[in-house]
DNA sequence: ACGAGGATGCTCT
DNA sequence: GAGCATCCTCGTG
């Protein structure tokens, strides 16, 4: 096992997130490896409104108000931060920065490499496609459990192996996916054109689409009202 | 192909 | 009580 060491994670999530692309996330379950190449990540920073610990630091005293959920985010780097979203799916993050600073990287998608049949079984599917192309899916596939919250991922059984070859993909950057705050910050990194990148739409684009659709609806309604007003039909 | 809607439980913006 | 760092299924083309 040649796991990425703590020093790799002891810097800004903005550096760690793109640096993780091409590395391999490994989980050893019952002596068997399940592994995938990291193809999509997102950075979450201390002063970022989408970061779970963004308001944990009191600006006047500088003291950190730790809650049960966010405490690991301000602990040592290279530790798992796992949390439940939408009451159903667990998402896997790696804590970054030196203790007390706050920050993490969300692993959003993997290219499945090892233990495919175990991953398919864990996901309840007989297809290899769409096995790990989303943050909730890859947690299911690798069998990452909420009890692993706070564990050191430089030791295993859950760890990251460094990339051993050029990936052959350009690194793309966009806003993050599925957010309502901090939607324009360019903190998402991915292998451009890789088939296992998640199908999500960057938040700023998604919001713009919703608004233009809404505007179209309003215009259609106005036109209808106008026609009715002139008595041309239903 | 896409879009809408529902499931579901924890945290607190 | 609202709001989620999501995913799946079921409608329409």
């Amino acid at each position: 096992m040649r796991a990425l060491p703590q020093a790799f994670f002891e810097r800004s999530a903005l550096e760690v997130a793109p640096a993780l692309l091409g590395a391999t996330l490994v989980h050893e379950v019952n002596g068997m490896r399940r592994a995938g190449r990291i193809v999509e990540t997102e950075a979450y920073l201390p002063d970022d409104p989408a970061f779970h610990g963004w308001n944990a630091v009191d600006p006047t005293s500088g003291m950190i108000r730790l809650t049960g959920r966010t405490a690991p985010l301000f602990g040592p780097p290279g530790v798992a931060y796992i949390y439940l979203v939408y009451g159903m799916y667990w998402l896997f993050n790696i804590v970054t920065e030196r203790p007390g600073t706050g920050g993490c990287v969300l692993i959003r998608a993997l290219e499945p490499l090892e233990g495919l049949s175990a991953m398919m079984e864990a996901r309840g599917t007989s297809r290899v496609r769409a096995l790990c192309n989303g943050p909730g899916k890859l947690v299911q596939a690798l069998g990452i459990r909420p009890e692993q919250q706070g564990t050191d991922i430089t030791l295993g059984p859950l760890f990251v192996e460094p990339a051993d070859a050029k990936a052959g993909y350009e690194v793309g950057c966009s806003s993050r996916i599925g957010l309502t705050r901090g939607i324009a910050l360019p903190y998402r990194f991915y292998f451009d054109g890789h088939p296992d990148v998640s199908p999500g739409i960057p938040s700023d684009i998604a919001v713009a689409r919703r608004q233009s659709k809404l505007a179209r609806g309003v215009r259609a309604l106005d036109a209808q009202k106008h026609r009715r007003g002139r008595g041309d039909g239903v």
Side-chain angles (χ1 to χ4, degrees), chain A residues 44-230:
Chain A
Y44 289 84
L45 303 189
D47 58 350
D48 164 5
F51 178 54
H52 286 162
W54 78 281
N55 65 343
V57 180
D58 181 1
T60 54
S61 68
M63 296 276 287
I64 303 172
R65 283 185 9 229
L66 293 180
T67 66
R69 182 206 212 183
T70 58
L73 292 170
F74 295 91
V79 156
Y81 173 65
I82 300 166
Y83 89 98
L84 184 70
V85 70
Y86 294 110
M88 246 168 300
Y89 298 98
W90 296 92
L91 269 47
F92 172 64
N93 302 254
I94 304 172
V95 175
T96 57
E97 288 280 15
R98 354 166 31 141
T101 307
C104 65
V105 172
L106 170 68
I107 309 300
R108 279 198 60 89
L110 306 176
E111 172 190 341
L113 294 177
E114 297 175 58
L116 291 238
S117 56
M119 293 202 271
M120 285 157 61
E121 189 180 347
R123 290 259 303 125
T125 178
S126 54
R127 317 235 156 219
V128 184
R129 267 213 282 278
L131 201 55
C132 299
N133 65 337
K137 297 180 194 177
L138 71 91
V139 163
Q140 265 183 359
L142 289 199
I144 297 172
R145 304 181 320 276
E147 300 82 56
Q148 291 175 289
Q149 164 84 298
T151 59
D152 186 339
I153 68 148
T154 66
L155 298 175
L158 181 60
F159 59 97
V160 184
E161 286 178 346
D164 50 13
K166 282 265 180 196
Y169 286 93
E170 299 289 321
V171 172
C173 176
S174 78
S175 69
R176 296 167 294 184
I177 290 174
L179 302 184
T180 58
R181 289 184 297 273
I183 64 171
L185 298 171
Y187 292 172
R188 168 176 174 256
F189 303 92
Y190 57 97
F191 279 154
D192 198 8
H194 194 290
D196 292 303
V197 168
S198 77
I201 298 161
S203 299
D204 52 353
I205 298 173
V207 167
R209 272 197 205 175
R210 271 200 294 280
Q211 302 214 328
S212 71
K213 181 174 295 182
L214 217 59
R216 275 202 302 280
V218 168
R219 279 200 301 276
L221 222 59
D222 278 352
Q224 208 175 58
K225 229 188 289 185
H226 194 242
R227 282 196 300 277
R228 258 205 297 273
R230 297 193 340 221

